[in-house]
Amino acid sequence: MESRLSGSLVALFISLLWLGQGGWSLDNGLARTPIMGWLHWERFLCNVNCQEDPHNCISEQLYMQMADVMAAEGWKDVGYNYVCIDDCWLAHTRDADHRLQPDPKRFPSGIKWLADYVHSKGLKLGIYQDVGTHTCAGYPGSYGYYELDAQTFADWGVDLLKFDGCNFINLDLLIEGYMNMSLALNQTGRDIAYSCEWPFYLWPFTKPNYTEIRKYCNHWRNHGDIDDSWGSVKNIIDWTALHQGLIAPIAGPGGWNDPDMLVIGNFGLSKDQQVTQMALWAIMAAPLLMSNDLRNIDPDAKALLQNRYIIAINQDPLGIQGRRVSQLFNFELWSRPLTGGGFAYAVLNRAEIGGPQKFSIIIFGLDDGKACQEECLVTQILPAFQFRGIHVLTSLLDFWVNPTGTVLFTVFPHSTDSSLKVGTLKGNKEQRSRL
Ligand code: GAL
């Protein structure tokens, strides 16, 4: 009896040591940097009208075409590698063995076939389900079937699960359901990234336990859905700044806050607002899941989404989520530490009236000049690429920022050997000429 007790004390001690190492995260080895890809929801919603709108309805064709374009037009090369299905892919009933099945008319070849197709393009397939009795759009949910559904996804060759929280039975079962699905996915032995909306569904009732959420999810949504408007992007930026003390320290390799999809390339954001979304999503270490029509996208939006400098900031291996560090009149300054002792900064002009306005800052006002103890190199990345020279602590920098637009720049110690610093990333010539 005594030796059993001391055995369990040793086990407890070891697990405490493990937890004490900071940032215990879902141990599936995935999402060491924020996930990148494409997700259908914001742009294609629950369009199941394949008779009248075959080109845009939720069908296997849509994902095949998106995969074709992602492989052929540079998206995969810069890191967008998940093609993700959202709600409305299911048939209204499970099969005779209680397994999920896709709508037979819209997915006649089945999900395994679609996964094989997406894999043949060197990409991964994401799918959607819900912790409750039904998905948000009313299709069968996973409640009561977590293990069976996880195994079905693994059998089909799925690589990511977005797990929604509509129609849950009660809060305890919601939390338990998110945990159980995570464990069920791990038990299949297949690498399946796990995207949660757990904190979003908890917030109306209670403050979520983010340390716990990070143990089970690769990323997690905190607030309501994004839509194709500046108002929506603004709300998300504000929500994130307001809660940054709670949520930013939790993010890191393996687990990320998810401010929802990139809506760049659609209808609602001006060019400056698209620049702002891209810049801020990079600073926030957000998953970059585009929801747009890659088959027909404006060249400026494409160049912005494929900009390797911005992506390198987003994917920085340190994985530290940036924060809003000051607000001055209509300006906000956001900062994110990067590998190599550098920092990325976003200067957002919140004015919605007038023209470009000047934001001036002395280098020692940027994180106490940490990146510039001797000399530093300043590189502007957005809205247009520009080397801004070598500076010292007392240098004054001026940036002109359009209303609702953002200037994104980096400051690196001159001595650092960082590709972001010297601008040697592949393809930069083409990008510089585009921007
Ligand atoms: C919402 C979710 C959206 C989308 C939608 C599908 O709850 O936040 O991102 O998945 O359900 O019905």
Side-chain angles (χ1 to χ4, degrees):
M1 170 69 186
E2 210 176 87
S3 75
R4 263 227 250 129
L5 189 65
S6 60
S8 18
L9 280 177
V10 170
L12 179 69
F13 180 67
I14 292 174
S15 27
L16 285 177
L17 261 184
W18 173 235
L19 285 172
Q21 287 179 343
W24 193 96
S25 70
L26 175 55
D27 192 18
N28 63 3
L30 302 172
R32 305 308 297 167
T33 60
I35 278 175
M36 295 176 65
W38 179 91
L39 174 63
H40 94 235
W41 186 255
E42 194 287 324
R43 176 63 188 252
F44 295 94
L45 297 168
C46 192
N47 180 354
V48 292
N49 186 356
C50 293
Q51 276 78 40
E52 285 178 323
D53 196 9
H55 193 59
N56 298 304
C57 69
I58 306 311
S59 72
E60 62 189 29
Q61 259 211 358
L62 183 69
Y63 307 96
M64 288 164 67
Q65 290 176 354
M66 253 6 115
D68 292 347
V69 176
M70 282 170 75
E73 292 180 20
W75 300 100
K76 185 176 85 172
D77 301 338
V78 296
Y80 295 98
N81 59 352
Y82 283 87
V83 182
C84 301
I85 305 172
D86 208 289
D87 206 346
C88 304
W89 63 273
L90 281 160
H92 279 287
T93 51
R94 290 176 177 265
D95 72 10
D97 299 320
H98 307 292
R99 275 190 306 248
L100 292 170
Q101 47 187 354
D103 181 279
K105 286 216 181 77
R106 293 181 286 115
F107 293 85
S109 315
I111 303 294
K112 174 152 182 26
W113 184 90
L114 182 58
D116 289 346
Y117 183 86
V118 168
H119 294 156
S120 77
K121 301 277 163 183
L123 297 163
K124 296 170 190 290
L125 184 72
I127 210 160
Y128 167 100
Q129 242 303 2
D130 191 286
V131 73
T133 55
H134 293 87
T135 72
C136 299
Y139 292 86
S142 280
Y143 180 71
Y145 296 100
Y146 299 132
E147 281 173 21
L148 177 63
D149 291 355
Q151 194 54 53
T152 305
F153 297 143
D155 294 344
W156 286 343
V158 163
D159 305 291
L160 177 147
L161 173 64
K162 171 173 172 176
F163 210 39
D164 211 335
C166 274
N167 304 307
F168 62 88
I169 308 229
N170 62 45
L171 283 188
D172 289 339
L173 290 177
L174 173 88
I175 295 173
E176 210 178 287
Y178 270 105
M179 291 174 171
N180 284 342
M181 185 49 111
S182 178
L183 298 172
L185 290 172
N186 270 4
Q187 263 156 27
T188 66
R190 183 173 174 84
D191 283 346
I192 302 180
Y194 187 40
S195 156
C196 301
E197 295 198 32
W198 171 354
F200 164 49
Y201 286 93
L202 282 189
W203 268 114
F205 308 98
T206 174
K207 187 164 115 186
N209 178 345
Y210 280 94
T211 314
E212 186 164 68
I213 291 168
R214 186 180 159 84
K215 288 183 199 163
Y216 292 91
C217 303
N218 290 118
H219 50 85
W220 48 86
R221 282 262 309 281
N222 294 312
H223 42 69
D225 296 3
I226 196 164
D227 64 36
D228 189 13
S229 74
W230 175 234
S232 171
V233 171
K234 255 192 321 195
N235 281 342
I236 292 173
I237 293 172
D238 288 344
W239 192 96
T240 306
L242 188 67
H243 296 89
Q244 61 186 7
L246 177 68
I247 64 167
I250 299 295
W256 311 95
N257 290 293
D258 177 8
D260 214 355
M261 294 158 269
L262 292 168
V263 293
I264 295 165
N266 290 320
F267 307 96
L269 299 186
S270 71
K271 290 235 184 314
D272 286 299
Q273 292 157 3
Q274 297 185 47
V275 161
T276 294
Q277 192 186 23
M278 196 67 188
L280 268 292
W281 264 234
I283 295 279
M284 297 190 299
L288 298 181
L289 287 166
M290 308 175 283
S291 194
N292 48 18
D293 191 348
L294 298 175
R295 299 166 301 185
N296 176 22
I297 188 167
D298 160 76
D300 287 345
K302 182 175 179 190
L304 178 63
L305 288 161
Q306 292 195 357
N307 182 309
R308 289 178 192 258
Y309 293 101
I310 312 170
I311 292 173
I313 293 170
N314 175 270
Q315 296 283 299
D316 184 81
L318 272 184
I320 299 174
Q321 178 171 339
R323 293 166 183 242
R324 187 170 72 190
V325 289
S326 59
Q327 288 172 280
L328 189 68
F329 304 114
N330 46 295
F331 287 111
E332 292 181 12
L333 178 67
W334 290 68
S335 159
R336 176 174 178 186
L338 300 172
T339 310
F343 288 83
Y345 294 100
V347 181
L348 164 60
N349 179 1
R350 295 294 295 254
E352 297 183 21
I353 190 168
Q357 285 188 24
K358 189 171 73 171
F359 177 85
S360 303
I361 191 149
I362 297 183
I363 297 260
F364 67 68
L366 294 171
D367 289 286
D368 302 323
K370 279 196 204 98
C372 208
Q373 290 311 300
E374 290 171 12
E375 288 181 325
C376 55
L377 205 106
V378 178
T379 310
Q380 182 181 305
I381 291 163
L382 285 172
F385 188 95
Q386 198 188 350
F387 287 110
R388 294 290 303 260
I390 296 169
H391 292 276
V392 292
L393 274 183
T394 51
S395 301
L396 184 73
L397 298 169
D398 288 340
F399 297 100
W400 287 88
V401 197
N402 291 347
T404 69
T406 294
V407 168
L408 179 70
F409 65 98
T410 56
V411 181
F412 274 96
H414 193 24
S415 51
T416 306
D417 178 26
S418 158
S419 57
L420 260 172
K421 185 197 84 174
V422 290
T424 52
L425 292 176
K426 275 194 226 141
N428 63 44
K429 265 204 202 124
E430 190 202 328
Q431 254 150 19
R432 264 180 266 164
S433 63
R434 276 225 100 94
L435 287 167

